[in-house]
């Protein structure tokens, strides 16, 4: 993202507005003084094992660990010798308290149906489904795929897997059958949990059908469990496919949580990297749970009586950590909504905020930009006075969007936490602490206690204030990924080979004279489309798999709503391309990856610009896609006429 990142540096350098925490918020905050924050950071620095060990006492362990931290990055083990269960920490431990009858999940379906599960009810459902999994032959250590809509059964299935030590792999419902097959094959999943379909903007989105197609290509899967959500027709294969409600009718609600080693893999979550093949980011149980629990408490300043709503889909890491594991480990009431923000109209989110008196609201900049476009009349129609804290995640937030969020949604009284983190980091790493940190639009401010970032150049030298560089972590943290499933070499290569001794995040950033971090975006070939990661190479290989395509180059370009749009330059084997082929290629990419990878632009080109060594010059293509004059160096270009032709085409369009 070189060019857009440069522009962002320019724009954020001009940002000087500061918003101190409102006094009444600061007075009641969980972390309420700068001294407390500094003391926590200092302790974590001087004695990491002492710091994290003390923090880990906030979880319930079946057996206490022998050592807090063993080894150094990349090979770290946290809480070795300790035994723990994530499901126990999210459920059972609350049943011994008054929270037994507190709402754990408040759920609203897109059509308006609702369901509330108390901690006790959720526990019962989870125990039953854990017994269902056992009955289907799932054992500790097996992988189970979840391809589901945002319904309570998704959280139930996750916690049931965790309860018996099966590693879940959740695939976002927007992925295609091919993407499911690839992930199932990589993880060697034994069971798939899905639904007949889900609701999206009043339409049924078929899910079971995609699973059926995927199973033609993935042989490890033995059983499929189907939730009856929308009531559409599905084909049930005897001895392979089972209805959730039928299985649940016939099992006991007694299923004690299995004590698991702290390092036991809790889940795999696939994310895009800079090569075509998605990476199976693997998280542990003890360390991940500690990060999820603490960061939810610190950053969202949770109070017992809060109604907390994170609008992400559980198919992404944000939903894992901040709808399910983090909030439930804290005994919070977490709200879950199934559908689109603009159904039946653009006021749906605000209607939900008013209806459930939501106190904490966590969403993505891409959603905020859509709200701005839809107009203030929608939020203005509802009573949003219950809100006390707002959050964002997924991409750098543009200052205009930040200010709108602050004024129109937060009524200038709610702190905004701009949280930087990644699938790999498991939990929030850089973020304001809402009771103490003055915020400034576009900056995710400072590291949380125990997180030790730096900005370095290509050779690993720490950079001075206000110089851009690569964002790295110089010390391990408990909730970091442990490996890429089945490819430990790629894990080391991707995150630990670029900068010696550090975890390399893949983002460019700078630190200002306040010590605040400003994340500018990816420095590799990864796009951030609506806060979701997509690899340019993954889209290129999808295009090239079409019989008429000879070569493809994919780049991002600035997009008002999505942050980054997808622009594909396509060279055909013969002919000039037609509108029909354009539609066909768009469908082809959707079929290969899913709707989230739908190209915004496909441009047919006679050739793409390459260096003499044959590397596609993406920088030039990015300029063309963004409609910018190319200022970059073109001296290494192999054939100048290719660029001239592309630019001439641009002018004539
Ligand atoms: O580029 C950063 C951007 O999203 C990437 C991580 O993507 P993913 O693993 O899909 O997780 C998204 C949700 C945690 C990062 O490498 N990113 C995420 N949050 C921010 C951000 N960029 C700037 N500011 C943020 N707050």
């Amino acid at each position: 993202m070189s060019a857009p990142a440069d522009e962002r540096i320019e724009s954020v350098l001009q940002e000087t507005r500061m918003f101190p925490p409102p006094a009444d918020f600061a007075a009641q905050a969980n972390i309420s003084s700068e001294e407390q924050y500094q003391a926590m950071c200092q302790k974590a620095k001087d004695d990491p094992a002492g710091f994290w060990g003390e923090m880990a006492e906030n979880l319930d362990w079946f057996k206490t660990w022998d050592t807090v931290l063993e080894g150094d990055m990349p090979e770290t083990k946290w809480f070795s010798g300790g035994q723990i269960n994530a499901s126990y920490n999210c459920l059972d431990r609350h049943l011994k308290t008054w929270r037994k009858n507190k709402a754990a999940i408040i759920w609203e379906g897109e059509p308006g149906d609702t369901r509330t599960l108390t901690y006790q009810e959720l526990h019962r459902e989870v125990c039953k489904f854990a017994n269902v999994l056992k009955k289907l032959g799932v054992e500790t250590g097996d992988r189970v795929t979840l391809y589901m809509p945002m319904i309570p059964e998704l959280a139930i299935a996750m916690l049931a897997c965790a309860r018996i030590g099966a590693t879940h792999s959740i695939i976002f419902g927007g992925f295609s059958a091919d993407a499911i097959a690839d992930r199932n094959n990589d993880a060697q999943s034994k069971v798939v949990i899905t639904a007949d379909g889900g609701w999206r903007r009043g339409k049924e989105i078929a899910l079971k059908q995609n699973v059926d197609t995927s199973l033609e290509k993935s042989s490890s899967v033995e059983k499929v469990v189907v939730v009856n959500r929308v009531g559409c027709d599905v084909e049930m294969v005897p001895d392979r496919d089972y209805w959730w409600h039928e299985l649940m009718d016939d099992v006991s609600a007694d299923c004690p949580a299995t004590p698991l080693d702290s390092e036991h893999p809790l889940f795999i979550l696939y994310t895009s990297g800079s090569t075509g093949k998605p990476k199976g980011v693997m998280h542990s149980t003890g360390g991940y749970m500690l990060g999820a629990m603490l960061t939810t408490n610190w950053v969202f300043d949770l109070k017992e009586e809060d109604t907390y709503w994170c609008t992400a889909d559980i198919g992404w890491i944000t939903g894992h950590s901040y709808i399910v594991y983090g909030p439930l480990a804290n005994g919070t009431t977490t709200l879950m909504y199934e559908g689109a923000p603009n159904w039946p109209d653009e006021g749906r989110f605000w209607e939900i905020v008013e209806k459930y008196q939501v106190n904490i609201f966590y969403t993505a900049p891409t959603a905020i930009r859509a709200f701005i476009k839809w107009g203030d009349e929608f939020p203005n129609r509802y009573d949003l006075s219950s809100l006390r804290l707002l959050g964002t995640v997924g991409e750098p937030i543009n200052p205009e969007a930040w200010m709108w969020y602050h004024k129109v949604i937060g009524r200038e009284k709610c702190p905004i936490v701009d949280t930087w983190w990644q699938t790999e980091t498991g939990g929030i790493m850089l973020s304001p602490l809402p009771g103490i940190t003055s915020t400034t639009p576009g900056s995710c401010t400072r590291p949380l206690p125990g997180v030790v970032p730096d900005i370095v150049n290509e050779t690993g030298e720490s950079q001075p204030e206000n110089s851009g560089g690569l964002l790295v972590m110089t010390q391990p943290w408990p909730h970091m990924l442990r490996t890429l499933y089945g490819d430990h070499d790629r894990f080391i290569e991707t995150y630990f080979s670029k900068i010696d001794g550090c975890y390399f995040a893949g983002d460019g950033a700078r630190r200002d004279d306040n010590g605040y971090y400003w994340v500018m975006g990816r420095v590799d070939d990864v796009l951030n489309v609506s806060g979701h990661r997509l690899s340019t190479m993954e889209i290129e290989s999808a295009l090239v798999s079409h019989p008429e395509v000879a070569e493809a180059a994919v780049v991002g370009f600035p997009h008002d709503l999505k942050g980054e749009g997808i622009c594909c330059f396509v060279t055909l084997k013969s002919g000039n391309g037609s509108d029909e082929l354009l539609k066909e290629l768009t469908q082809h990419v959707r079929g290969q990856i899913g709707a989230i990878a739908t190209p915004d632009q496909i441009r047919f080109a006679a050739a793409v610009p390459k260096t003499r060594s044959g590397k596609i010059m993406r920088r030039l293509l990015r300029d063309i896609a963004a409609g910018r004059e190319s200022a970059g160096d073109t001296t290494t270009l192999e054939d100048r006429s290719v660029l001239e032709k592309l630019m001439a085409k641009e002018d004539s369009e």
Side-chain angles (χ1 to χ4, degrees), residues 81-378:
Q83 288 197 323
I84 188 165
N85 185 290
S87 169
Y88 185 94
N89 273 278
C90 289
L91 302 168
D92 304 55
R93 64 172 176 160
H94 305 309
L95 303 188
K96 298 177 232 158
T97 73
W98 67 271
R99 291 192 191 116
K100 183 172 113 179
N101 289 316
K102 177 177 176 174
I105 296 178
I106 297 178
W107 173 81
E108 180 157 310
E110 194 184 75
D113 43 344
T114 65
R115 197 171 160 196
T116 299
L117 287 149
T118 64
Y119 273 93
Q120 187 193 271
E121 288 167 331
L122 182 59
H123 175 260
R124 189 178 158 79
E125 294 296 302
V126 168
C127 288
K128 283 173 69 180
F129 196 67
N131 280 331
V132 165
L133 289 173
K134 284 188 192 165
K135 221 167 138 179
L136 294 176
V138 178
E139 292 171 6
T140 304
D142 285 343
R143 271 81 53 218
V144 174
T145 293
L146 278 47
Y147 181 69
M148 299 172 77
M150 283 282 289
I151 52 178
E153 286 81 357
L154 171 50
I156 293 167
M158 291 166 84
L159 293 164
C161 288
R163 197 160 189 87
I164 62 169
T167 301
H168 59 70
S169 162
I170 307 186
I171 304 176
F172 173 62
F175 280 110
S176 67
D178 280 351
I180 306 170
D182 286 350
R183 287 158 176 74
N184 279 343
N185 287 334
D186 191 75
Q188 289 292 294
S189 284
K190 201 167 177 181
V191 169
V192 175
I193 325 279
T194 188
D196 51 354
W199 293 110
R200 193 81 190 168
R201 270 180 217 102
K203 288 208 187 82
E204 293 168 9
I205 304 290
L207 294 172
K208 170 65 164 61
Q209 209 180 310
N210 284 349
V211 170
D212 289 342
T213 313
S214 78
L215 292 190
E216 291 163 18
K217 293 188 191 164
S218 48
S219 56
S220 63
V221 177
E222 294 165 14
K223 307 280 179 200
V224 178
V225 182
V226 188
V227 179
N228 182 358
R229 168 64 187 139
V230 296
C232 62
D233 278 346
V234 291
E235 224 185 282
M236 298 293 279
V237 176
D239 299 325
R240 188 196 75 181
D241 301 352
Y242 303 86
W243 287 108
W244 173 290
H245 58 275
E246 287 178 4
L247 293 170
M248 288 288 267
D249 247 2
D250 189 27
V251 283
S252 136
D254 181 25
C255 180
T258 308
L260 300 164
D261 287 343
S262 175
E263 284 293 318
H264 186 80
L266 178 60
F267 64 85
I268 302 168
L269 182 57
Y270 285 87
T271 186
S272 293
S274 51
T275 68
K277 189 173 175 285
K279 305 182 290 196
V281 169
M282 204 185 83
H283 280 287
S284 71
T285 305
Y288 171 81
M289 283 306 291
L290 180 59
M293 181 194 63
L294 287 178
T295 55
T296 314
N297 188 285
W298 292 340
V299 174
F300 299 112
D301 192 53
L302 292 177
K303 298 293 182 299
E304 266 322 334
E305 54 279 14
D306 279 330
T307 303
Y308 160 94
W309 183 20
C310 165
T311 70
D313 192 290
I314 292 178
W316 308 109
I317 190 68
T318 308
H320 282 61
S321 301
Y322 298 110
I323 297 179
V324 180
Y325 289 115
L328 295 179
N330 281 286
T332 305
T333 299
T334 179
L335 195 141
M336 217 176 137
Y337 167 59
E338 177 188 31
N342 54 351
W343 186 265
D345 70 21
E346 286 76 1
R348 185 62 184 272
F349 272 18
W350 318 120
E351 185 194 329
I352 293 175
V353 168
E354 178 182 290
K355 180 171 171 190
Y356 299 100
Q357 293 288 291
V358 171
N359 307 105
I360 300 163
F361 179 77
Y362 189 32
T363 197
T366 183
I368 298 171
R369 290 191 296 266
F371 302 144
I372 298 174
K373 189 173 146 233
W374 294 335
D376 296 5
E377 64 268 27
F378 292 102

Side-chain angles (χ1 to χ4, degrees), residues 318 393-396 418-423 507 522 528 533:
T318 308
V393 59
E395 58 178 301
D418 174 352
T419 63
W420 178 90
W421 60 294
Q422 308 178 292
T423 305
D507 281 346
R522 305 290 305 186
N528 189 330
R533 253 199 262 177

Side-chain angles (χ1 to χ4, degrees), residues 552-583:
V554 172
V555 294
F557 67 97
H559 188 286
D560 283 352
L561 285 180
K562 300 180 180 180
E564 232 178 339
I566 303 172
C567 177
C568 312
F569 293 87
V570 172
T571 308
L572 297 175
K573 288 185 181 150
S574 63
N576 294 325
S578 60
D579 283 352
E580 256 120 77
L581 183 59
L582 200 142
K583 281 192 201 121

Side-chain angles (χ1 to χ4, degrees), residues 387-580:
L387 290 173
R388 66 181 193 89
L389 177 63
L390 305 175
T392 75
V393 59
E395 58 178 301
I397 181 164
N398 40 315
E400 314 84 85
W402 196 102
M403 287 307 297
W404 182 89
Y405 200 29
H406 171 68
K407 285 194 178 132
V408 180
I409 306 303
R411 290 145 297 118
E412 303 189 33
K413 72 170 185 110
C414 300
I416 297 180
V417 287
D418 174 352
T419 63
W420 178 90
W421 60 294
Q422 308 178 292
T423 305
E424 292 86 343
T425 68
I428 296 169
M429 303 291 277
L430 307 174
S431 169
L433 288 166
I436 60 166
T437 315
S438 290
T439 53
T440 183
S443 169
C444 56
T445 75
R446 300 186 294 185
L448 295 185
V451 172
V452 193
D454 198 4
I455 305 285
V456 300
N457 64 9
E458 293 279 337
T459 53
E461 286 152 349
S462 190
Q463 294 300 288
E465 284 165 6
N466 288 318
S467 306
L470 308 174
L471 178 60
V472 297
M473 299 296 147
T474 62
Q475 275 184 26
W477 65 101
H479 35 299
M480 68 191 292
L481 81 165
R482 295 299 190 268
T483 192
L484 292 176
Y485 189 77
D487 200 348
H488 199 65
D489 289 348
R490 187 175 177 201
F491 161 74
I492 293 173
E493 163 71 27
T494 310
Y495 306 106
F496 300 98
S497 68
K498 188 156 176 95
I499 307 295
D500 210 26
C502 292
Y503 166 85
F504 170 53
D507 281 346
R510 76 180 169 91
R511 191 173 33 207
D512 70 15
D513 24 21
N514 274 326
Y516 279 21
Y517 284 76
W518 300 79
V519 173
M520 277 119 57
R522 305 290 305 186
V523 293
D524 52 14
D525 292 329
V526 173
L527 305 181
N528 189 330
V529 179
S530 302
H532 301 309
R533 253 199 262 177
L534 286 170
S535 128
T536 52
M537 250 174 265
E538 207 176 341
I539 306 170
E540 283 163 10
S541 42
L543 285 164
V544 174
S545 71
H546 187 280
E548 293 195 40
V549 175
E551 191 168 42
V554 172
V555 294
F557 67 97
H559 188 286
D560 283 352
L561 285 180
K562 300 180 180 180
E564 232 178 339
I566 303 172
C567 177
C568 312
F569 293 87
V570 172
T571 308
L572 297 175
K573 288 185 181 150
S574 63
N576 294 325
S578 60
D579 283 352
E580 256 120 77

